[in-house]
Amino acid sequence: MSVEVVNSVLEKYSFDRSSLIGILQDIQRELKWLPEEALRMVSWRLDVPLTQLYALGSFYKAFSLKPRGRHLLNVCLGTACHVRGGPAIQEALEKELKIPPGETTADDRFTMEVVRCVGCCGLAPVIVIDENFHGKVSQADAVKALENYE
Amino acid sequence: MKPFRANMLVCAGTGCVSNKSFKVKLALEQEIKRRGLEDEVLVAATGCQGFCERGPLVIHWPDGIFYQRVSEEEIPMLVTEHLIKGRPYKNLMYAPGAAEAPIPKLADIDFFKYQRLIVLRNRGIIDPELIDDYISNDGYMALHKALTDMTPEGVIDEITMSGLRGRGGAGFLTGFKWGICSKARDQEKFIVCNADEGDPGAFMDRSVLEADPHAVIEGMALGAYAIGAQTGYVYVRDEYPLACQRITRAIRQAEEYGLLGDRIFDTDFSFNIKVVRGAGAFVCGEETALMASIEGRMGKPRQRPPFPAQKGLWGHPTNINNVETWANVPLIIMRGADWYASIGTEKSKGTKIFSLVGKVNNTGLVEVPMGISLRKLVFDIGGGIIGGKELKAVQTGGPSGGMIPKELIDLPVDYEKLAEAGSIMGSGGLIVMDETDCMVDIAKYFLAFTTDESCGKCTPCRVGTKAMWNILDDITRGRGKKGDIELLKEVAVNVKNLSLCGLGQTAPNPVLTMIRYFKDELEAHIKERKCPTNKCTKIAPAPCQKACPIGMDVPTYVALIAERKLDEALEVIRWDNPLPAICGRVCPHGCEYECKRGTIDTPISICSLKRFVVDYQRARGADIIPRKEAHGREKVAIIGSGPAGLTVAHDLALWGYAVTIFEALPEAGGMLRAGIPGYRLPRDILDIEIDVIKKLGVEIKTNSSVGANAIPLDDLKKQFSAVFLSVGAHKGLKLGIPGEDNFEGILDCITFLRGVNIDKNMNKPGGKVAVIGGGNAAMDAARTAVRLGCEEVNVIYRRSHAEMPADPSEIESAIEEGIKINYLVQPTKVIGDKGMVTGIECVRTELGEPDLSGRRRPVPVKGSEFMVNCDVVIPAISQAPDLGFLAKGHGFKTTRWSTFEVNPETTSIQGVFAGGDAVSGPATVIEAIAAGQRAAVSIHNYLRKGEDHRDYRIPRSYKKMPQVSLSNEEQSSLRRPEMPHIPVAERKGTFGEVALGFTLEAAVNEAKRCLRCDLE
């Protein structure tokens, strides 16, 4: 699986070593995370040290070096969401999913992350599930929104 | 192109899209087709129109009608009404308040009216996905003009003269920056558009990219021509998928039209743009970090110089500006520097886009001329604070900015003025905070952000932000120490001065402005373990303790009751509270509203448990007289023997002072005796509690007025080392309606209660009584009237049950006793005959917008006037201190509510202190005790002059009690006990105590239900 993904991404970027971040982003988009196997392959095909790839993978928030669930749940804690009840939303979701931010549920259904502003401050508090924005949510709304993602 | 008679423009910014605006658009298209209007009406998507709060938005042109909160269900009606019948559809129009008329036209709505659109000139007008739309609105004309008519130097001069400054935050002159880069000698140069908008609470750049991407492309092309660059990069945040998609599409279209690529407009100028997605790192907004990221490395900043203009991307000269700056450029070239410089202030030219968010009614994106006042932004454009609450502060500049307090609301917003106030313009986030927001919490929030986002390369930023966060975290958890503020300042200054890049250099700003403008709030956290807004939930050991004005150690005494250790439980209670048997009866018990058990079933009966312990121990002769800690100290006089005065006497006597209380009334107790009736607070309980204080050596002189016609205050000041004023608030406020002074039968509530409770000269005042007001005093008057034998008692209250300030159990008992409570009724006139009251004319009300207290304002309903027949009217709306006792020219500073001004307890006269209702206005017993405890500390520190210093009392644990082990069955079967009451039939004609108290078994079982939040 990851072999084909890595190959097609590298071809798309014409094996250009200056596009490392874009390459990793595309691999992550397909695989939802950056498995060691994939990083080793990128390192070998582009002839860049594996440490450099891990440096990028751990520095940037968008990358995950751990497997992620089927759906990515982002709880916004930008300033507007913070003052409009974002922390209470986070608390309700933690209670519902029984995981802290950064973790994945035992059934692999959700990975929960906290983000600092998704730029929808007019709709605060906001949660984003996969690419869908849910605005002006109450604790109950937030928990209910999870139902649509299996 | 075929002309359409109308355009329906559907907002497709991220805000509206998440409100399903694409579904609305689809429904609109289908309906228009179904009605055969597709050749007459064009439906198009636009970028963010700014008023995100009200999405999804649809605008009708040419009529300029603004539709908001449009749903799929409303589409058929909208089409029928406006597009077929030609009359704008009211249901979807914007109205500023529920009761106000809708405003049809966009141009008439306050949110839009005060804006000036330059950068956002095309918002809501063009489809950002169609290059033709941009071109037909003069798009790419500026680029054509520059390439064919102007030299690169000419372009730079124009930008320099316009006064345009970088919109990313620092405000460097754009033309000047371009000039440096243009002079650098290199074959290859780059320009970069910084769209890594990481400030939480800011979304200007996202909006511009989504609404008008070609303006950014054109601006970049002009910049590239000016400095001689061939390649440009747009670095977009990963969190903005729609913006990324729109700019990518726009670049492709521009390439197809030959507006990007080789030999643009057949000149020698060639230019290409690539889009690079960020990967979620705030520090990449810093230019050197951003370049590292584009090069595919970790986004860590580096030392400058060399500046990017000398050595930038891959070592070549590079010019970086942010999205909004680039979008300004085409218009300056088109309309000239003079035109642009005519807008704004002396040093800040043009307009600025702000994202107006937080606790403001109209949140959204606004563009206004530089120099506009914060007041105009928050109140005129923003429509004021949500829920009618009070503004507290406006935060600008995100994690790099500061908090601007409401006192500076008239500050003109430009680069210099914001810097003077300790903040920065930043990219333009304006976060409005109301009175419920804790500024310490907000400062901690921003530090958590910068601590997370610090790249870790330089030590001051990596370690310093974390160190500041740790101090603030301790403070919000009730572990603040003396010296914390000084330490915070020291660390802040070091981080500011020593950090490598802008992130660290500005990270202390939120903390520094918090200290500068909200020091009182910070000190309350440290010195009193109190969060004035109650936001910091961890500041006390348990929520009940946090809620209690004196921070009583509830969990410990409740745990001791559960273990039947009542001696010790009383010790804990007396350690905190000098009047526990009184509080156990009349305290409004805010603790129970915060009790965690209440979120599961019902809160613990904290108030009644306290009463139980004191009553039970007293009955078996095991009450405790606290031990004195010192002897032989100065003499202190206290004026007034209410709860505040008694508390000061209690504490000071324990600490060795010789205390004398002067009481004007014949018996001690102040409002406890004069105001609270015996059926709630039996006289013997009051006597016993006061006796304990007397046993500590306190002398109480009754019938001893102080003031103009009695013992002169000046004499007391000479005879005593300190004087404490706790004269209470005994003067009833008037209703302020006609007829109030003309008839007999109008009895001020406090006069009435005192006549019954102390003077014992008040008999049945009449047959039919009307009590005006909704507080506990009104309930006391009404229930007292019932006991005196009045046949009909009406309470008249102008708001609804939900707003009524009286304790719910008081209201319930009043109703049980046959009192009729008339909600939403306001008296307008007292009616009388032959000098006697015969009734009161009233009007019904409905609730309107919230007033300053946050409660909804009663609005009289026209034509609903009616009469309430009565022969006695008892106004019980509020009380104020009666300052008539003070001699003329007394020299005290007082407020407009005729209460004493104190800071924090000392009055404006040295050696004279004040507290209780005389300072706060009418409040609760427990609040008076809290004020007394603070005043006692102040008086002690004043008299000791620095020796034997005492800190304010803080919520503490007396001892650590383990959790009581309970079987599951017990855990789930225990219920909050009902308080036994004497039967209603037995209450008339007697003032015996209504609530009978718990039995030992009931109390022990109730105590076992405690969840022991203090152990978490």
Side-chain angles (χ1 to χ4, degrees), chain B residues 192-253:
Chain B
V192 175
C193 171
N194 183 350
D196 189 54
E197 184 176 46
D199 274 14
F203 54 100
M204 291 68 55
D205 293 347
R206 171 179 73 66
S207 195
V208 172
L209 283 179
E210 285 176 10
D212 203 3
H214 287 286
V216 178
I217 295 173
E218 190 179 2
M220 288 177 73
L222 285 163
Y225 173 67
I227 67 166
Q230 304 80 28
T231 309
Y233 287 93
V234 180
Y235 186 88
V236 199
R237 269 185 104 195
D238 194 42
E239 288 85 345
Y240 289 171
L242 189 61
C244 198
Q245 186 191 317
R246 294 230 167 112
I247 186 75
T248 307
R249 183 193 290 247
I251 290 168
R252 209 173 55 231
Q253 290 171 346

Side-chain angles (χ1 to χ4, degrees), chain B residues 452-475:
Chain B
D452 266 6
E453 296 293 348
S454 172
C455 77
K457 181 169 176 175
C458 73
T459 315
C461 175
R462 183 185 67 238
V463 179
T465 52
K466 179 77 180 163
M468 288 190 283
W469 185 87
N470 282 342
I471 298 170
L472 283 182
D473 187 51
D474 271 352
I475 291 173

